[in-house]
Amino acid sequence: MHPEALRGWTVSQSRLDRLSKLKKSVCGDMGRWRRSWHACSKENHLRIIDLQTHHVGRYLFVSVHTDAGISGLGEAGAWAYLDAVDAVLQKWRGYLIGQDAARIEHHWQYLYQSTFFRSSVVMSALAAVDVALWDIKGKDLGVPVYDLLGGRTRDRARSYAPVLGETPEEMAAECVRLQRAGFTAARLILPSFAHDHWERGAESYAHRVDQAVSQVLACREAVGPAFDLCVEAHRSLSVPEAIAVGRGIEPARPLFFEDPIAPDSPDAMAEVARAVPVPIATGERAISIHEIQDLLTRGAARYVRPDVCAVGGLTPARKIAAMAEAHYVSIAPHNPLGPVSTAASLHLDASVPNFLIQEHPSFNIDGSEDAMVKNPLRFEDGYIAVPDAPGIGVELAADAETAFPAAPRDLTPAFAFDGSVQVR
């Protein structure tokens, strides 16, 4: 208060003395609080003390431990090369131990920028660490990870399950089964995976095209219009085949046509996208935000499919979602992995406005892998509930490694009718 405003007031000396002491006390407390705050901020309040890897069934999980007793859980995406991913993680232990777990973006940039070489193996290792650090931060603050990414935009994520089969009749019957189980969408995998070595159809171009089209049309006839078909070519088609199939399945009104060709050339994917009346979905093999940007700027995809555990974690995945939003493109995250990948994907799905649909983990349709975690994710009526516990919401079961012995997937080559190796 200005001294002029006190003119005419009578204040006893004892009261002035008390006010003076109170001022000194408050100022002293504030000073001590500021010094304490700055001292704490300079220290690692969540110092990383260990990193452990867990080979569980088909998957590689990663635990990052801190001196606060808080641990985070991540998962690696390069499923064919998990031993190599493990080796990268062991190399990174020397850097990570002693670091502040809260500096997620800094650690991501450090591990990404520190060498000349990047690959799916390196990015999968980075994804595992990144998701684990987000898990730690959520637990430390007592909030789900989606709250750290902007807050929840939805309570549950629509999902779709895979349909395998040799014939149109087999695939149609499987669609009906999934529909009765509560799903409202299915992933129609056009090439058969019934054999150890995938053979890419007969030598006849017309036969290959007609077979793919008949599979999709049979499924539509079986389930009616109130069920979405996500057609997955699994990169099995050439550009001419993809264009012919894309035009042929248009009467079935698929939700999207996924990976009609190999994703290595965004220009070729854009050529297919321009030529077919069905929306193209791709991006699951991307290991950087720049690969997704190439697709977006070329108009090569109406939906992008970032794999959180392959592209480097939640840190780049949320950037991909933002880039896609700027192009009026939605995301349909890829998810062929375990419960940690699924949980991380759900937090991404929950926190962005341009989410379309979430791939249901193919190996856990029957719930046989639920026991890998203490608190399995909840599926109901075609949706997966978004975990609302602090962090990503799942914890590895204590006996996961013994209950699910390591069983990594091997190489799975694809051959054409003449014995030549084809795109997988």
Side-chain angles (χ1 to χ4, degrees), residues 138-159:
K139 290 174 180 175
D140 180 48
L141 298 175
V143 297
V145 165
Y146 61 70
D147 268 351
L148 306 177
L149 303 178
R152 191 172 60 189
T153 62
R154 55 186 54 82
D155 301 323
R156 55 184 186 161
R158 188 186 180 205
S159 68

Side-chain angles (χ1 to χ4, degrees), residues 50-319:
D50 199 9
L51 180 150
Q52 290 179 294
T53 56
H54 313 276
H55 291 266
V56 179
R58 302 175 177 89
Y59 315 120
L60 175 62
F61 302 121
V62 177
S63 296
V64 176
H65 305 287
T66 70
D67 61 353
I70 299 173
S71 297
L73 191 59
E75 183 173 355
W79 49 263
Y81 300 99
L82 297 182
D83 289 341
V85 175
D86 199 334
V88 173
L89 290 165
Q90 299 309 322
K91 186 179 185 69
W92 288 349
R93 288 181 85 254
Y95 163 71
L96 289 168
I97 291 177
Q99 295 293 327
D100 182 355
R103 301 182 67 194
I104 300 174
E105 181 73 39
H106 173 76
H107 299 319
W108 197 98
Q109 294 295 336
Y110 184 98
L111 296 172
Y112 181 75
Q113 305 284 4
S114 289
T115 66
F116 299 115
F117 309 105
R118 295 161 191 153
S119 65
S120 60
V121 168
V122 170
M123 298 311 293
S124 291
L126 184 50
V129 172
D130 182 77
V131 170
L133 294 181
W134 281 106
D135 191 25
I136 289 170
K137 178 161 281 193
K139 290 174 180 175
D140 180 48
L141 298 175
V143 297
V145 165
Y146 61 70
D147 268 351
L148 306 177
L149 303 178
R152 191 172 60 189
T153 62
R154 55 186 54 82
D155 301 323
R156 55 184 186 161
R158 188 186 180 205
S159 68
Y160 65 110
V163 167
L164 303 173
E166 294 281 326
T167 67
E169 293 76 18
E170 290 172 351
M171 294 181 70
E174 183 65 8
C175 278
V176 171
R177 187 188 71 80
L178 290 175
Q179 188 178 42
R180 289 173 177 167
F183 284 95
T184 61
R187 174 185 173 216
L188 310 185
I189 304 176
L190 299 184
S192 171
F193 291 109
H195 311 289
D196 291 338
H197 293 79
W198 168 38
E199 186 172 317
R200 243 193 73 184
E203 64 270 23
S204 166
Y205 166 86
H207 174 78
R208 289 196 300 273
V209 171
D210 289 348
Q211 181 181 37
V213 171
S214 64
Q215 288 171 327
V216 177
L217 296 182
C219 291
R220 172 55 70 212
E221 184 178 357
V223 295
F227 190 90
D228 275 321
L229 304 178
C230 307
V231 180
E232 157 75 291
H234 217 273
R235 302 164 290 278
S236 64
L237 304 173
S238 65
V239 170
E241 289 168 348
I243 292 173
V245 171
R247 290 172 176 171
I249 65 177
E250 194 274 337
R253 298 289 189 271
L255 181 61
F256 53 70
F257 189 18
E258 179 188 346
D259 282 338
I261 63 171
D264 305 285
S265 170
D267 290 324
M269 192 70 76
E271 180 183 351
V272 174
R274 287 191 297 268
V276 302
V278 177
I280 299 298
T282 189
E284 68 181 52
R285 287 194 178 184
I287 57 171
S288 74
I289 61 175
H290 312 95
E291 291 181 53
I292 298 294
Q293 177 70 354
D294 285 343
L295 294 168
L296 294 171
T297 55
R298 287 167 172 79
R302 285 271 28 110
Y303 305 110
V304 291
R305 308 202 63 237
D307 186 319
V308 170
C309 293
V311 79
L314 284 165
T315 295
R318 63 194 179 102
K319 297 173 185 178

Side-chain angles (χ1 to χ4, degrees), residues 15-45:
R15 178 167 294 185
L16 287 173
D17 291 341
R18 288 197 299 272
L19 288 171
S20 178
K21 289 180 181 179
L22 178 61
K23 177 182 177 182
K24 290 179 181 178
S25 175
V26 170
C27 290
D29 288 344
M30 289 296 291
R32 285 190 295 272
W33 180 85
R34 288 193 188 98
R35 289 191 296 273
S36 176
W37 171 260
H38 288 303
C40 289
S41 66
K42 292 178 181 178
E43 296 176 0
N44 296 341
H45 116 248

